[in-house]
Amino acid sequence: MSSNESQTRAQFGRTGSTHRRQFASDNYAGISPEAWLAMEEANAGHERSYGDDQWTEQAANLIRNIFETDCEVFFVFNGTAANSLSLASLCQSYHSILCTEVAHVETDECGAPEFFSNGTKMLLVPGMNGKMDPAGVERMVKKRTDIHYPKPRVVSLTQATELGTVYTPDEIKAVWAKAKSFGLRMHMDGARFANAAASLGCTPKEITWQAGIDVLCFGGTKNGMAVGDAVIFFNRDLAAEFDYRCKQAGQLSSKMRFLSAPWVGMLKDGAWLRHAKHANTMAEYLEKSLCAVAGVKLLSPRQANGVFAELPRKAIEGLWAKGWMFYTFIGAGGCRLMCSWDTRLEDVDAFIADLKQLLLA
Ligand SMILES: Cc1ncc(COP(=O)(O)O)c(C=O)c1O
């Protein structure tokens, strides 16, 4: 059992599976019909292994079409692997990576970025609402420039952020301009990239390679797939020998088609954006509903599929006792309420009704 899981059990006070759609994480949701169907279609007959199959080729080409550029694409099992292996490919062990204090790469990857890069140090930049700004980058780079300090080499941004906000194209470009002036590379943790793209309504290229991103870890799991992230190198030189890194780290799937086929299902007719838009809309509805409840305070602006709110302790415990699951230890504290591709209006209504009843009691 993972420590998150034991913490979850301790908090929610129950074990076993949940049949109710929950707000704990977009990982709680199942597999979307499009991803499921593609897996089923990929399960016909025999196929070449280790990524030499037609599904992997098709998925990589769809990603190239969506991003409108000839990028290098790799499929790995999860976000931690995608982030840490791609960061390792941007750094030497004596380098450092600038990220925010709430970045998943810092707080929730068990030191994997440091491990896979043989000791690269994370430098934590304070930021507002989970976002890094150019001034923060400059302060951190100039803090020390001597040989005794790990040399800054990469800026890592999370899009959408761990606090449910999104970077606009101009905000990313502003960080890039500063990063470029110091010779830093740009990494993007896009575990919720689909939610950010849906929220901003801009093209994927505008918030990635056109804004200076060298490598994007494009998350599939939270968008409705069973497993998998795509590591996308817009700066193709940085992808040199990345296939060896994946293999060494146990991230080269022998039956790769089952990692890549869901991407085909999700990307070919826009299901990835549709599902992300839906999750964002449900979060917007949840946010509005929470705003109408006395005693609830929103903690950061909701711009994607997560709402961060402060609730009275008795309401939190009452909601857990009623079987609702949500975390209180993510980001800057408060309750994190995540909506998913399958969240429904009635789930939000039921949650709000229970909250109101508990606050009246
Ligand atoms: C911001 C962010 N990045 C990356 C990940 C990917 O993590 P995992 O290794 O669990 O797929 C997550 C998952 O919660 C996340 O929230």
Side-chain angles (χ1 to χ4, degrees), residues 281-354:
T281 304
M282 289 300 103
E284 187 183 355
Y285 179 61
L286 174 60
E287 178 193 33
K288 282 195 179 127
S289 307
L290 282 170
C291 280
V293 180
V296 174
K297 185 177 151 216
L298 291 180
L299 295 176
S300 51
R302 184 224 52 89
Q303 293 171 337
N305 62 323
V307 181
F308 286 77
E310 210 171 87
L311 307 183
R313 191 72 209 168
K314 72 165 189 180
I316 294 173
E317 277 166 13
L319 286 163
W320 285 341
K322 282 178 182 285
W324 290 106
M325 299 179 176
F326 54 90
Y327 296 126
T328 54
F329 60 88
I330 293 189
C335 303
R336 188 191 75 162
L337 302 166
M338 298 304 298
C339 294
S340 309
W341 67 270
D342 67 345
T343 303
R344 298 190 192 154
L345 288 173
E346 56 263 36
D347 303 324
V348 175
D349 289 340
F351 180 84
I352 295 289
D354 280 345

Side-chain angles (χ1 to χ4, degrees), residues 183-319:
L184 310 182
R185 292 167 173 160
M186 297 273 285
H187 165 266
M188 181 172 273
D189 173 352
R192 297 186 181 87
F193 181 81
N195 301 92
S199 166
L200 291 160
C202 58
T203 58
K205 69 180 174 189
E206 288 175 273
I207 46 172
T208 54
W209 60 272
Q210 283 190 338
I213 301 300
D214 290 304
V215 56
L216 166 71
C217 299
F218 186 1
T221 320
K222 293 164 176 52
N223 195 209
M225 297 182 209
V227 280
D229 265 46
V231 181
I232 306 174
F233 286 90
F234 301 110
N235 180 340
R236 299 183 66 186
D237 294 344
L238 296 172
E241 300 186 349
F242 192 72
D243 44 353
Y244 285 89
R245 245 183 229 288
C246 289
K247 175 63 187 176
Q248 187 184 50
Q251 290 291 322
L252 177 65
S253 173
S254 51
K255 290 193 180 178
M256 182 70 89
R257 70 186 190 272
F258 297 108
L259 276 193
S260 54
W263 285 96
V264 174
M266 293 289 278
L267 297 177
K268 71 177 181 200
D269 72 346
W272 71 285
L273 262 187
R274 223 174 23 252
H275 287 313
K277 250 182 220 155
H278 171 84
N280 291 354
T281 304
M282 289 300 103
E284 187 183 355
Y285 179 61
L286 174 60
E287 178 193 33
K288 282 195 179 127
S289 307
L290 282 170
C291 280
V293 180
V296 174
K297 185 177 151 216
L298 291 180
L299 295 176
S300 51
R302 184 224 52 89
Q303 293 171 337
N305 62 323
V307 181
F308 286 77
E310 210 171 87
L311 307 183
R313 191 72 209 168
K314 72 165 189 180
I316 294 173
E317 277 166 13
L319 286 163

Side-chain angles (χ1 to χ4, degrees), residues 25-27 77-81 83 103-105 108-109 158 160-162 189-192 221-222 229 336:
S25 170
D26 27 12
N27 283 334
F77 289 102
N78 59 30
T80 299
N83 282 333
H104 195 270
V105 290
D108 286 288
E109 297 190 355
T158 308
T161 72
E162 289 78 3
D189 173 352
R192 297 186 181 87
T221 320
K222 293 164 176 52
D229 265 46
R336 188 191 75 162

Side-chain angles (χ1 to χ4, degrees), residues 35-114:
W36 185 267
L37 184 65
M39 290 260 270
E40 210 174 303
E41 283 171 9
N43 197 27
H46 282 210
E47 262 292 354
R48 288 171 197 269
S49 53
Y50 296 106
D52 289 334
D53 61 282
Q54 48 151 335
W55 289 97
T56 303
E57 189 184 356
Q58 211 185 329
N61 283 335
L62 280 164
I63 286 176
R64 292 182 188 110
N65 289 344
I66 282 170
F67 285 89
E68 302 178 63
T69 189
D70 190 16
C71 41
E72 293 279 354
V73 182
F74 301 84
F75 297 97
V76 296
F77 289 102
N78 59 30
T80 299
N83 282 333
S84 50
L85 294 176
S86 59
L87 284 168
S89 72
L90 305 184
C91 295
Q92 296 291 336
S93 56
Y94 51 83
H95 283 143
S96 52
I97 298 163
L98 278 61
C99 65
T100 69
E101 288 164 333
V102 296
H104 195 270
V105 290
E106 157 66 12
T107 62
D108 286 288
E109 297 190 355
C110 199
E114 294 92 330

